[in-house]
Amino acid sequence: MTENVASILSLDEMLPAVAQGAIGIACRTDDDKMATYLASLNHEETRLAISCERAFLETLDGSCRTPIAGYASKDEEGNCIFRGLVASPDGTKVLETSRKGPYVYEDMVKMGKDAGQELLSRAGPGFFGN
């Protein structure tokens, strides 16, 4: 359907919502056969990126109706680059942050949480209109 695309937005133009485009599959906790099968479908780089992004969203206590964006990716040197953004509901105020660190689960979750804490602190109470 590329013939229907008017333009492709860069990350500088618009950060995506957290976990945008990632596919999640759930399975019963007691179904080892299915869990083994599904593990073969896992894309580890994406799983780690999503973990960073979700830690950011969780720290901000965001939902699908909160103007929050976050994107984690691996750079040429193998590091995690994370960019996060919050906006006021009317879009008049936008706060951004970024982090860089090892592409390792624990470090990436810490980056996401730290970025969320920073923006919470900068935004102050009532930023999201609640």
Side-chain angles (χ1 to χ4, degrees):
M1 295 183 56
T2 56
E3 68 276 2
N4 297 316
V5 176
S7 68
I8 297 174
L9 301 176
S10 71
L11 293 175
D12 290 328
E13 293 173 290
M14 189 179 106
L15 280 179
V18 167
Q20 187 72 41
I23 298 172
I25 303 172
C27 104
R28 295 177 300 276
T29 56
D30 62 346
D31 192 338
D32 293 336
K33 183 177 179 181
M34 183 57 70
T36 300
Y37 174 72
L38 292 175
S40 70
L41 300 176
N42 180 50
H43 184 259
E44 189 63 11
E45 189 174 319
T46 300
R47 184 187 75 81
L48 293 174
I50 298 309
S51 297
C52 180
E53 295 172 16
R54 286 183 174 164
F56 175 70
L57 183 67
E58 180 181 21
T59 301
L60 292 166
D61 196 26
S63 72
C64 60
R65 290 182 282 293
T66 315
I68 297 172
Y71 186 74
S73 62
K74 188 183 275 190
D75 70 9
E76 317 79 46
E77 295 145 14
N79 292 307
C80 175
I81 302 296
F82 174 76
R83 293 177 55 197
L85 172 153
V86 296
S88 58
D90 64 3
T92 59
K93 297 177 191 159
V94 177
L95 303 174
E96 298 182 62
T97 190
S98 64
R99 299 286 185 282
K100 180 177 182 176
Y103 211 91
V104 176
Y105 177 80
E106 291 80 12
D107 294 295
M108 293 172 72
V109 168
K110 186 176 184 297
M111 272 191 280
K113 288 180 179 181
D114 184 61
Q117 286 294 335
E118 177 197 331
L119 293 186
L120 275 177
S121 174
R122 287 173 51 201
F127 184 81
F128 292 118
N130 41 354

